[in-house]
Amino acid sequence: EVQLLESGGGLVQPGGSLRLSCAASGLTFRSYPMSWVRQAPGKGLEWVSGISTSSDITVYAESVKGRFTISRDNSNNTLYLQMNSLRAEDTAVYYCAKYKGSAMASAYMDVWGKGTTVTVSS
Amino acid sequence: EIVLTQSPATLSLSPGEGATLSCRASQSVSSYLAWYQQNPGQAPRLLIYDASNRATGIPARFSGSGFGTDFTLTISSLEPEDFAVYYCQQRSNWPPTFGGGTKVEIK
């Protein structure tokens, strides 16, 4: 069974940092682009960032560009999101998601983790 | 950035009834549109991709149609587990964007 398990969420003060992790199992992790999608409390979905299979391409939403960094470790089947200079508006559930296809252009997400909650508040 | 507008915001229906959900794009996305279902407290699930292709394991009562700027998700006969929030998403242009969602609730 394909599984994605996020961790690393929590309460952080404005201006602080957090690093999210997503452990993948049951799939050939290195074969798929991956992404982070977030959902603010009571709101809709917002794509945050994506990374290619070999990490040569990383893309970000304008709202997080320059503050967040996506990375992956294919040897350990793990995806990361380093979040710096956090703001109250970054408060959300953060989902790790696998792209359906093998190319960055195939930006449909067909496997999702259960999410990890990030709260930015003083 | 392409804006996706979903309507209606809420749809109140009874089990067994059919549902029609709409998604309109601010510019053409060709057929590069997907639909997701999200139940309370759960992660989204991919239902339809490329406007009309059902994802693996999705029941045949779910169907998608449309091209360009106007898309429809149809649920032929609502089962109890179908009462959820549905989102459309485009991958035609970067960044990928989602619609605001349609909640299908029990009448």
Side-chain angles (χ1 to χ4, degrees):
Chain A
E1 181 189 4
V2 178
Q3 283 193 323
L4 300 173
L5 183 61
E6 302 93 338
S7 60
L11 174 64
V12 62
Q13 292 189 338
S17 298
L18 274 179
R19 189 194 198 199
L20 307 184
S21 300
C22 171
S25 60
L27 76 160
T28 308
F29 179 74
R30 64 181 180 273
S31 296
Y32 298 99
M34 298 291 295
S35 66
W36 289 96
V37 177
R38 69 184 180 184
Q39 187 169 34
K43 302 298 184 182
L45 302 168
E46 179 187 17
W47 174 88
V48 172
S49 183
I51 187 168
S52 62
T53 55
S54 58
S55 305
D56 58 332
I57 300 172
T58 56
V59 287
Y60 300 92
E62 282 298 322
S63 57
V64 306
K65 195 176 291 185
R67 300 187 299 122
F68 290 11
T69 302
I70 191 171
S71 61
R72 65 190 295 163
D73 181 348
N74 286 343
S75 61
N76 286 308
N77 294 341
T78 304
L79 177 72
Y80 300 100
L81 186 67
Q82 177 67 43
M83 304 186 297
N84 298 332
S85 303
L86 282 161
R87 306 166 180 167
E89 54 265 35
D90 296 318
T91 295
V93 174
Y94 284 74
Y95 294 103
C96 162
K98 165 191 164 292
Y99 279 20
K100 188 180 183 309
S102 58
M104 284 293 284
S106 61
Y108 300 133
M109 282 68 76
D110 67 343
V111 180
W112 297 65
K114 294 184 185 300
T116 187
T117 300
V118 173
T119 303
V120 184
S121 174
S122 55
Chain B
E1 177 173 308
I2 293 178
V3 176
L4 299 178
T5 303
Q6 291 188 240
S7 61
T10 304
L11 203 48
S12 299
L13 295 167
S14 301
E17 289 191 293
T20 302
L21 287 66
S22 174
C23 177
R24 177 163 290 177
S26 59
Q27 64 188 78
S28 176
V29 298
S30 184
S31 61
Y32 299 129
L33 190 108
W35 292 92
Y36 298 83
Q37 177 193 64
Q38 188 178 34
N39 289 104
Q42 296 187 19
R45 176 173 72 145
L46 179 66
L47 298 176
I48 301 287
Y49 65 95
D50 288 345
S52 62
N53 296 295
R54 273 190 302 276
T56 303
I58 301 303
R61 64 180 181 273
F62 291 93
S63 63
S65 64
F67 184 87
T69 60
D70 291 299
F71 299 86
T72 301
L73 175 69
T74 301
I75 310 171
S76 59
S77 177
L78 286 161
E79 298 288 337
E81 61 270 27
D82 299 338
F83 292 92
V85 179
Y86 293 83
Y87 295 95
C88 57
Q89 177 236 325
Q90 65 82 23
R91 70 166 184 89
S92 176
N93 282 24
W94 285 98
T97 51
F98 291 89
T102 290
K103 181 180 182 181
V104 178
E105 65 176 21
I106 299 177
K107 185 175 182 180

